[in-house]
Amino acid sequence: MLIKGRKCTRELHRGIVHASWLSMSNTSSLWPRFQKYFVRLPKLGFAIDISRMTFEDDLFDAMAPSIEKAFADMKALEAGAISNPDEGRMVGHYWLRNSSLAPADLRAEIDDTLEATLKFAEDVHGGVIKAANGQKFTRVLVVGIGGSALGPQLVAQSITPANPPLQISFFDNTDPDGMDRVVAQIGAEIATTVTLVISKSGGTKETRNGMLEAAAAYQAQGVDFTKHAVAVTGVGSELDKYAIAQGWLARFPMWDWVGGRTSVMSAVGTIAAALQGVDVRGFLAGAAAMDAETRTRSARQNPAMLLALMWFSAGKGKGAKDMVVLPYKDRLVLFSKYLQQLVMESLGKEHDLDGKVVNQGIAVYGNKGSTDQHAYVQQLRDGVNNFFATFIEVRKDRDTAGFEVEPGFTSGDYLQGFLRGTRKALADKGRESVTLSIDEVSAYSLGVLVGLFERTVSFYATLVNVNAYHQPGVEAGKKAATDFLKQMGQVLASLPASGSGVTADALAGQIGIDPEDAWHMLSHLSANGRVKIATLGETPSADQFLRV
Amino acid sequence: MLIKGRKCTRELHRGIVHASWLSMSNTSSLWPRFQKYFVRLPKLGFAIDISRMTFEDDLFDAMAPSIEKAFADMKALEAGAISNPDEGRMVGHYWLRNSSLAPADLRAEIDDTLEATLKFAEDVHGGVIKAANGQKFTRVLVVGIGGSALGPQLVAQSITPANPPLQISFFDNTDPDGMDRVVAQIGAEIATTVTLVISKSGGTKETRNGMLEAAAAYQAQGVDFTKHAVAVTGVGSELDKYAIAQGWLARFPMWDWVGGRTSVMSAVGTIAAALQGVDVRGFLAGAAAMDAETRTRSARQNPAMLLALMWFSAGKGKGAKDMVVLPYKDRLVLFSKYLQQLVMESLGKEHDLDGKVVNQGIAVYGNKGSTDQHAYVQQLRDGVNNFFATFIEVRKDRDTAGFEVEPGFTSGDYLQGFLRGTRKALADKGRESVTLSIDEVSAYSLGVLVGLFERTVSFYATLVNVNAYHQPGVEAGKKAATDFLKQMGQVLASLPASGSGVTADALAGQIGIDPEDAWHMLSHLSANGRVKIATLGETPSADQFLRV
C-alpha cells in the first residue's frame, strides 16, 4: 500500500486541500475548469464532470503510486488472481460480459449459462415451457435477498417495458405479512406464475423461508409448486440438491467467483430480465464497453478512476463524506439503492488488507431528482456539509412525442433546469458534486453505469487497501440471530402451562440466558398468540407469562 | 437558547461522554439498563428502548433547561403561536387530529374538511360520484411532489389493503418518461381514474407540469379531464382558480399553517387514504394518542423527548451522526424515506433562530430489515462509525394463519431473530441504536409513529434553536432553474439555422450567459431532436450547433 507513509499522506493532502473556486462560482464562469475535468465517451453515450469537486490538480500526481497499484490490481483481478483473499476466491463479475477474459476452463460455462437463461425466457414467452395448467406463464416471482433481489429489482424498475410480457413480484425478506401481501396481489394468477428461488450459497434463511412460503401459496390454490419453480444457486448447494430431489422446472448455476452485489449480469439477473423482455445482450454490452474504456484509459481520462479519486478526495480516504445519489429520472430511482449496497457492502470494512483496523466505508443514500429537492435538498444546501452529491443526468426526455407545458418549454426542460439549478445552488454554498450524463435510459446505458461503479469500487478498494469482495461483518448478526432463535425454543419449552405465570428473569435464570432476550421473545410470542401474558407489570421484569 | 453558554456546553458534555457499557455487552446483561431506559405505552401498542445509546444518566440534568424550553415552545406552538417566524405562520399540524386545540376560528374548517374528504371517498366507493363514462372509479392518480406525494405514498405502502378499492399511481416528478410509464400502466383504465392534483401553494412547477401531462393523457383517450380532476390546494391559489375556471370535479383546501412534510393528515393525505379504504379516523386517532402522551409526560417518560435527546446526544447537537432507519417490516419500507424528508427538511438549516450560521441537520437514510442486512449492514457493523440506528420492531407477524418453516419456528420468528441479532451485533461493536416496538402495522399505529416523529422534530428544533417549519434553501435551486430555462429560450432563439454552426462560447458571449450553461442546454436539446450538432469537437468548446 503506497499511500500509507508519512510523506505520501502529506503529498496527498496537497492534492485535496479545498480550493477556493467554489465560493467564486457565483460570479465567474467555471467553463475552463469544466472542460479540463470533463470526460465524454460519445460511443457509450456517457460523460463525467468532476469540475464541482474541490480537489486541486496535483491530486493526480500525489496519488500516482496508488493509481498505478489500482490499475495493476485490476489487471491481476481480471486475469483470475485470488483478489478475495479472505475467502480464497477469484473475482469474476467482469467476465460475465466478456467471457474471453475468464480463465479458459470457465468460458464455456459462462457462455452456456447465458444462452440457457435466454433460451429459457424465449421458451416461456413462446409457450414451449408452460405452467402446470398448460397455460402460458404470465408472472414471475423472485425469491431472494440482497444482491439476489436488488439487481433484478433495479432491472425491473429501470429498463423493462411499462407492460412487460411477465409482471414481476418479489419476496425479498422473511416478513410473513409482506409475503402475504404479495400473494394477495398475485391472486389466482399464481397458477401462471413462475418462481425463481435465488441464493448463491443455497443456505440463506430468508430465501429458504420465502421458498417455503411461496410453495405454501401455490399449494393453497392447488398448484404444484415444483412445476413452477426455478433454482439459481451454486451447483451442489443445499438449494440445488433440494431442487433436484423435488424435480423443479429448471436450475441455473451461480459461481463462488461472483459476489451477490455484483451478480446482476449472471443468471441471478439475466433470467428475470429476459422474462420481462429486457435486451439482456445490450445490458451486458454496455458494461463490457465501459469495462473496455476504463481498463485502458489513463487516470485523467478514465471515468472509473476519476470517480474513485473523487470519493477519496471528498472523504479524505476515510469515508468522511456521505455520497448522495441523485438520478434525475424516475426509472433510475433504485439505482441509488443499488449503489448503496454495492458501495457500502464492498467498502465498509473493519480491517485493511494488512490486518490493520481502519473502519472504512462510504455511506450512500438518495432517491431521485427533482423529487428529492422537495425532501432533503434543503439540508444539502443549508445544513451539515457532510456529503458530496452524484447527479445523474439523462439527456433524452421521453420516447413519445412531447408537448410544451408553457411556450417553449417541455416537462423535460424543467427536469434539466432543476438538475442544473440545484447543482449550481449546491456549488454556490461550497457543496461538492459529480455529474454523470447518459444519453438515455436503456439496457445498454444501465450496463454502462453498472460497469462504471463496479470498477470504481474495485479501484477505490485499492486506494484504501481493503478487500471489496467479502462481507465478514454480516456473520455476527446471523450468529446472534441463530442463538436468539435457539433460546426462543428453550423459552417456549420451559414456560409453565398454569399458575400465575413466570417472569422473564426467572425463566432466563432457569435456562441460563439474558433476561432481556427472554422478555423480547415472550413479548413477540404473545403478540402472535403463542404465549399468554398473565400479568402486565409496571416494568418488564414484573410481567408474567404462561403457555397458551 | 439555554444550552449555548460555556458552562452549559461543559455540563452537556458530561451527559454525552461515551459510556463503556457497550463494549461490555458481550459478557454482561444490560437488563437493568434496558428497564431503566424502556418506556412502554401499552394502550398505544408502543414502546421505546434507548438502552443501546451511549449517553449517561446525567444527560437529563445537563439538558434540563433546554428540555423545559422545548416543552414551553411546544405548548406555545400548539396554542397558535407564530412558531414559523420567517414566514410569519402558525404551525398547526397537531390540530389536524385534534381540532379542539386549534384557534377557535379554524376548528370548523378542520372538521368540515375531514368530513368532506371522507364523504367524497364514500361517494366514489358508492358510485354516487362517477367517472365521465358513468362507471365507478377504479383508480386514483396523485399528482404532487414532496410532502404532497410522500405522505400518500407512505399510506399506500403501509396501511392500505393488498387489493384496495382503488389502485393508486403517482406523478411525483417532472420526468416525461416517468409519467409516460405510469400512463402506459394505467392504460384504458384512465377512463375510470380520478386524479388528485395536490399543491399547497398551487404554483409548484413539477405539479403544474404533471397536471398538464395528466390532462393530455386523458385527452389522448377522449376522456374529459375536468370531470375526473380534484384539486387540493390553498384557497385562492393559482391551482384553485384554475380548478374553478375549468369546473373540476371537486376542490379541497390546504392551509398555510400546515407544512408539506407534515400534511399527511390534512386533505393531502386523507382523500387518497380514504379512497384506498384506509381507516382514516384510526390513523388520526393514533397520532392524537401519541400527541396526548408526549404533551404531558415528563422527559424521562416521554418517547418524543427521549428520542430528541438521543438525536442530540448521538450527534453532539450538530448532526455529527447519520440516522439509519431500519423497520423490520415490508409495509414500513417507505417510513425511512418519510423520515428522511421530515427530519432533513425540518432540521437542515443554515441559520439558527438568532441568525447565527449553524449548518444544522441530521442525515437520514434506510430501507427495511432484514433485507438491508444483506446490503449495507456490513458497513454499519464494521465500517465508518458515523451513524446511530433506529430499529422499528413490529410484534405481530401476519393476519393469516402462519406455519412453521422448521420445527418450532415461523418466518416471523426469523424476522425478530434477525432484528435482535443485528441490534446485538452492532452494540457489540460500539454502534448505537434506538429500538421502537409497535404491536402491529395498522392505520392507528402508523399514526402513533408519525405523531412521535413530528413531535421529536419539534422538540429537537428547540434543542438546537432552529426553525423547523420553513425551507429557505430550496428557493435558490428553483431560482437557478428558472434562470436556466429563461436562458435556454434565448439560446434557442439565437441559434443560426444554417452554415457551419455556432459554438457554446460564441452563443453565450452573444447572449451574455455562462458558456457551460449554454453547452448543457444545447446538448440536452440536441438529444431531443430540437437542436442539431453540426460538429462534435474534441472538447465541448469545439462543438458546433445549428437550429433543426
Side-chain angles (χ1 to χ4, degrees):
Chain A
M1 178 60 182
L2 288 156
I3 61 158
K4 278 193 304 184
R6 220 168 219 218
K7 184 171 170 300
C8 284
T9 304
R10 198 170 58 237
E11 294 276 309
L12 180 65
H13 279 177
R14 239 190 338 144
I16 59 175
V17 161
H18 281 197
S20 56
W21 61 263
L22 271 179
S23 54
M24 302 187 315
S25 66
N26 269 310
T27 47
S28 32
S29 169
L30 291 165
W31 181 228
R33 182 178 168 88
F34 165 72
Q35 293 199 76
K36 182 169 182 184
Y37 294 118
F38 177 71
V39 175
R40 60 178 168 185
L41 310 176
K43 280 186 194 161
L44 277 62
F46 171 87
I48 179 171
D49 164 19
I50 58 168
S51 68
R52 263 59 171 184
M53 296 294 288
T54 53
F55 66 99
E56 290 192 354
D57 196 63
D58 60 359
L59 174 71
F60 294 91
D61 292 337
M63 295 291 286
S66 291
I67 291 170
E68 283 319 302
K69 182 160 192 326
F71 282 132
D73 283 358
M74 257 323 274
K75 198 170 174 180
L77 181 152
E78 290 198 299
I82 303 297
S83 296
N84 177 358
D86 306 62
E87 301 182 322
R89 289 174 178 170
M90 299 186 291
V91 175
H93 52 272
Y94 301 100
W95 307 331
L96 298 171
R97 50 254 194 176
N98 185 349
S99 61
S100 72
L101 296 168
D105 57 326
L106 298 179
R107 286 173 205 164
E109 197 175 353
I110 294 170
D111 293 342
D112 293 350
T113 302
L114 175 62
E115 290 295 339
T117 61
L118 299 183
K119 178 72 165 54
F120 178 80
E122 195 187 312
D123 287 349
V124 166
H125 293 158
V128 178
I129 297 176
K130 288 181 198 164
N133 64 5
Q135 292 180 14
K136 273 194 181 184
F137 283 114
T138 59
R139 294 190 76 108
V140 51
L141 170 66
V142 171
V143 182
I145 194 165
S148 298
L150 200 40
Q153 283 165 342
L154 171 68
V155 166
Q157 172 74 38
S158 59
I159 54 173
T160 58
N163 295 302
L166 278 81
Q167 289 283 353
I168 197 162
S169 310
F170 292 89
F171 282 1
D172 68 348
N173 196 0
T174 181
D175 172 19
D177 172 70
M179 293 186 276
D180 282 346
R181 202 168 161 86
V182 171
V183 168
Q185 284 159 351
I186 296 174
E189 215 178 326
I190 202 155
T192 51
T193 298
V194 57
T195 289
L196 314 181
V197 183
I198 308 178
S199 168
K200 180 171 138 182
S201 71
T204 309
K205 295 298 183 191
E206 288 94 332
T207 305
R208 192 274 317 261
N209 295 352
M211 175 190 77
L212 295 172
E213 295 273 356
Y218 278 89
Q219 196 182 5
Q221 299 207 30
V223 184
D224 184 351
F225 174 65
T226 64
K227 301 278 190 293
H228 291 232
V230 175
V232 182
T233 186
V235 173
S237 79
E238 216 177 300
L239 171 59
D240 197 43
K241 288 179 199 157
Y242 186 82
I244 293 170
Q246 301 258 318
W248 283 17
L249 181 60
R251 294 178 301 117
F252 296 92
M254 260 293 280
W255 304 289
D256 72 358
W257 42 266
V258 178
R261 55 190 174 273
T262 53
S263 65
V264 68
M265 295 186 192
S266 74
V268 169
T270 57
I271 303 175
L275 286 172
Q276 288 174 95
V278 166
D279 171 14
V280 171
R281 290 194 193 278
F283 183 44
L284 271 58
M290 181 55 88
D291 287 346
E293 294 285 353
T294 50
R295 188 177 289 128
T296 52
R297 286 174 166 255
S298 67
R300 282 173 182 269
Q301 295 298 316
N302 188 314
M305 186 58 81
L306 290 178
L307 207 42
L309 289 169
M310 292 305 102
W311 294 2
F312 193 94
S313 155
K316 299 191 164 65
K318 292 169 180 302
K321 295 248 173 145
D322 296 350
M323 173 159 72
V324 179
V325 184
L326 281 168
Y328 275 61
K329 204 73 186 167
D330 292 352
R331 282 176 187 260
L332 292 180
V333 63
L334 278 186
F335 194 64
S336 315
K337 197 165 156 183
Y338 184 80
L339 291 185
Q340 185 178 61
Q341 173 179 263
L342 176 66
V343 173
M344 293 179 77
E345 196 167 39
S346 297
L347 302 176
K349 299 293 156 74
E350 181 172 16
H351 298 102
D352 68 10
L353 285 164
D354 303 324
K356 211 177 81 183
V357 172
V358 289
N359 298 119
Q360 274 291 353
I362 301 174
V364 178
Y365 64 92
N367 305 296
K368 67 177 180 183
S370 67
T371 307
D372 286 353
Q373 289 176 214
H374 298 258
Y376 58 78
V377 169
Q378 163 64 36
Q379 175 166 319
L380 297 191
R381 184 175 144 92
D382 281 0
V384 207
N385 189 353
N386 63 349
F387 72 95
F388 64 102
T390 302
F391 290 102
I392 302 178
E393 174 183 42
V394 179
R395 296 204 191 275
K396 182 176 169 185
D397 289 339
R398 72 199 318 168
D399 293 327
T400 57
F403 65 98
E404 293 181 351
V405 291
E406 60 191 63
F409 303 116
T410 66
S411 298
D413 293 340
Y414 269 93
L415 191 64
Q416 195 205 18
F418 285 128
L419 185 156
R420 293 286 156 196
T422 298
R423 171 172 166 280
K424 180 178 187 317
L426 292 182
D428 286 351
K429 287 277 186 176
R431 270 64 174 172
E432 300 180 90
S433 66
V434 170
T435 303
L436 309 177
S437 300
I438 55 174
D439 284 351
E440 60 178 352
V441 179
S442 64
Y444 182 86
S445 70
L446 185 68
V448 164
L449 288 178
V450 168
L452 170 71
F453 280 96
E454 285 182 353
R455 193 161 300 241
T456 301
V457 164
S458 290
F459 284 157
Y460 185 86
T462 292
L463 300 186
V464 300
N465 195 36
V466 299
N467 178 353
Y469 312 106
H470 66 166
Q471 49 284 331
V474 171
E475 288 310 311
K478 281 191 204 168
K479 185 180 174 310
T482 307
D483 293 347
F484 188 89
L485 285 177
K486 194 180 141 205
Q487 293 171 3
M488 186 189 283
Q490 295 173 291
V491 161
L492 260 175
S494 307
L495 262 187
S498 61
S500 60
V502 66
T503 63
D505 294 79
L507 205 58
Q510 192 184 322
I511 305 168
I513 65 172
D514 189 326
E516 185 182 344
D517 287 336
W519 186 83
H520 283 298
M521 292 161 191
L522 291 163
S523 299
H524 165 73
L525 291 165
S526 67
N528 291 287
R530 291 151 69 197
V531 160
K532 193 178 148 192
I533 301 179
T535 308
L536 188 71
E538 278 298 300
T539 61
S541 66
D543 294 346
Q544 297 205 292
F545 301 92
L546 273 178
R547 194 175 296 185
V548 172
Chain B
M1 179 55 182
L2 287 156
I3 61 158
K4 278 192 304 187
R6 223 172 216 212
K7 183 169 172 295
C8 283
T9 305
R10 199 172 58 237
E11 293 276 308
L12 181 66
H13 279 176
R14 238 189 339 141
I16 59 175
V17 162
H18 281 198
S20 55
W21 61 263
L22 271 179
S23 54
M24 302 187 316
S25 67
N26 268 312
T27 47
S28 31
S29 168
L30 291 165
W31 181 227
R33 184 178 167 88
F34 165 71
Q35 294 200 75
K36 183 169 180 184
Y37 294 118
F38 178 71
V39 175
R40 60 177 167 185
L41 310 176
K43 280 186 195 162
L44 276 64
F46 171 87
I48 179 170
D49 164 19
I50 58 168
S51 68
R52 264 58 171 186
M53 297 295 288
T54 52
F55 67 100
E56 289 193 356
D57 196 62
D58 59 0
L59 174 70
F60 294 90
D61 292 337
M63 295 291 286
S66 291
I67 292 170
E68 283 319 302
K69 183 162 191 325
F71 281 131
D73 282 358
M74 257 321 274
K75 199 170 173 181
L77 181 151
E78 291 199 299
I82 302 297
S83 295
N84 177 358
D86 306 62
E87 301 183 321
R89 289 175 178 170
M90 299 185 291
V91 174
H93 51 273
Y94 300 99
W95 307 332
L96 298 171
R97 51 254 194 177
N98 185 350
S99 62
S100 72
L101 296 169
D105 57 325
L106 298 178
R107 286 174 206 165
E109 196 174 352
I110 294 171
D111 293 341
D112 293 350
T113 302
L114 174 61
E115 290 296 337
T117 61
L118 299 182
K119 179 74 167 50
F120 179 80
E122 195 187 312
D123 287 349
V124 166
H125 294 160
V128 177
I129 297 176
K130 288 180 197 165
N133 65 5
Q135 293 180 14
K136 274 195 182 184
F137 283 115
T138 60
R139 294 190 75 108
V140 52
L141 170 65
V142 171
V143 182
I145 195 165
S148 298
L150 200 41
Q153 283 166 341
L154 171 69
V155 166
Q157 172 75 38
S158 58
I159 53 173
T160 57
N163 295 302
L166 279 83
Q167 289 283 350
I168 198 163
S169 309
F170 292 89
F171 282 2
D172 68 347
N173 197 0
T174 182
D175 172 20
D177 172 71
M179 293 186 274
D180 282 346
R181 201 169 163 85
V182 171
V183 168
Q185 284 159 352
I186 295 174
E189 215 178 327
I190 203 156
T192 52
T193 297
V194 58
T195 289
L196 314 181
V197 182
I198 308 178
S199 168
K200 179 172 139 183
S201 71
T204 308
K205 294 299 183 191
E206 289 94 332
T207 305
R208 192 274 318 260
N209 295 352
M211 175 190 77
L212 295 171
E213 294 274 357
Y218 278 90
Q219 196 182 4
Q221 298 207 29
V223 183
D224 183 350
F225 175 63
T226 65
K227 300 277 189 292
H228 291 231
V230 175
V232 182
T233 186
V235 172
S237 77
E238 216 177 299
L239 170 59
D240 197 43
K241 289 179 200 156
Y242 186 83
I244 293 171
Q246 301 259 317
W248 284 16
L249 181 60
R251 295 178 301 116
F252 296 92
M254 260 295 277
W255 305 288
D256 72 359
W257 43 266
V258 177
R261 55 190 173 274
T262 53
S263 65
V264 67
M265 295 186 192
S266 74
V268 169
T270 57
I271 302 176
L275 286 172
Q276 288 174 94
V278 166
D279 172 14
V280 171
R281 290 195 194 276
F283 183 44
L284 271 57
M290 181 55 88
D291 286 348
E293 294 285 353
T294 50
R295 190 176 290 128
T296 53
R297 288 176 164 254
S298 68
R300 281 173 183 267
Q301 295 298 316
N302 188 315
M305 186 57 80
L306 290 177
L307 208 41
L309 290 169
M310 293 305 100
W311 294 2
F312 193 95
S313 155
K316 299 191 165 65
K318 292 168 180 300
K321 295 250 172 139
D322 296 351
M323 173 159 72
V324 179
V325 183
L326 281 167
Y328 275 63
K329 206 72 187 169
D330 292 351
R331 284 176 186 259
L332 292 179
V333 64
L334 278 186
F335 194 65
S336 315
K337 198 165 156 183
Y338 184 81
L339 291 185
Q340 185 178 61
Q341 173 179 261
L342 176 65
V343 173
M344 294 179 76
E345 196 167 38
S346 298
L347 301 176
K349 299 293 155 74
E350 181 172 16
H351 298 102
D352 69 10
L353 285 165
D354 303 324
K356 210 176 83 183
V357 172
V358 289
N359 298 119
Q360 273 291 353
I362 300 174
V364 178
Y365 64 91
N367 304 295
K368 67 177 181 183
S370 68
T371 307
D372 286 354
Q373 290 176 214
H374 299 259
Y376 58 79
V377 169
Q378 162 65 34
Q379 175 166 318
L380 297 193
R381 185 176 144 92
D382 282 0
V384 208
N385 189 354
N386 63 349
F387 73 95
F388 64 101
T390 302
F391 290 102
I392 302 178
E393 175 184 42
V394 179
R395 296 204 191 275
K396 183 178 169 184
D397 289 341
R398 71 199 318 168
D399 293 326
T400 58
F403 65 97
E404 293 181 351
V405 292
E406 60 191 63
F409 302 115
T410 66
S411 299
D413 294 339
Y414 269 94
L415 191 63
Q416 195 206 18
F418 285 128
L419 185 157
R420 292 286 156 196
T422 298
R423 174 173 164 278
K424 181 177 188 317
L426 292 182
D428 286 351
K429 287 276 186 177
R431 269 64 172 171
E432 300 180 272
S433 66
V434 169
T435 304
L436 308 178
S437 300
I438 55 174
D439 284 350
E440 60 179 351
V441 179
S442 65
Y444 183 88
S445 70
L446 185 68
V448 164
L449 289 178
V450 169
L452 171 71
F453 280 95
E454 285 182 352
R455 193 160 301 242
T456 301
V457 164
S458 290
F459 284 157
Y460 184 87
T462 292
L463 300 187
V464 300
N465 195 36
V466 298
N467 178 354
Y469 312 106
H470 65 167
Q471 49 284 329
V474 171
E475 289 310 312
K478 281 190 203 168
K479 186 180 173 309
T482 306
D483 293 347
F484 187 89
L485 286 177
K486 195 180 142 204
Q487 293 170 2
M488 185 188 283
Q490 295 173 292
V491 162
L492 260 174
S494 308
L495 262 187
S498 61
S500 61
V502 65
T503 64
D505 295 79
L507 206 57
Q510 192 182 322
I511 306 170
I513 65 172
D514 189 326
E516 185 182 344
D517 286 337
W519 185 82
H520 283 299
M521 292 161 193
L522 291 162
S523 299
H524 165 73
L525 291 165
S526 68
N528 291 286
R530 290 152 70 196
V531 161
K532 191 178 150 190
I533 301 179
T535 308
L536 187 72
E538 277 299 300
T539 61
S541 64
D543 294 346
Q544 297 205 296
F545 301 92
L546 274 177
R547 196 175 294 187
V548 173

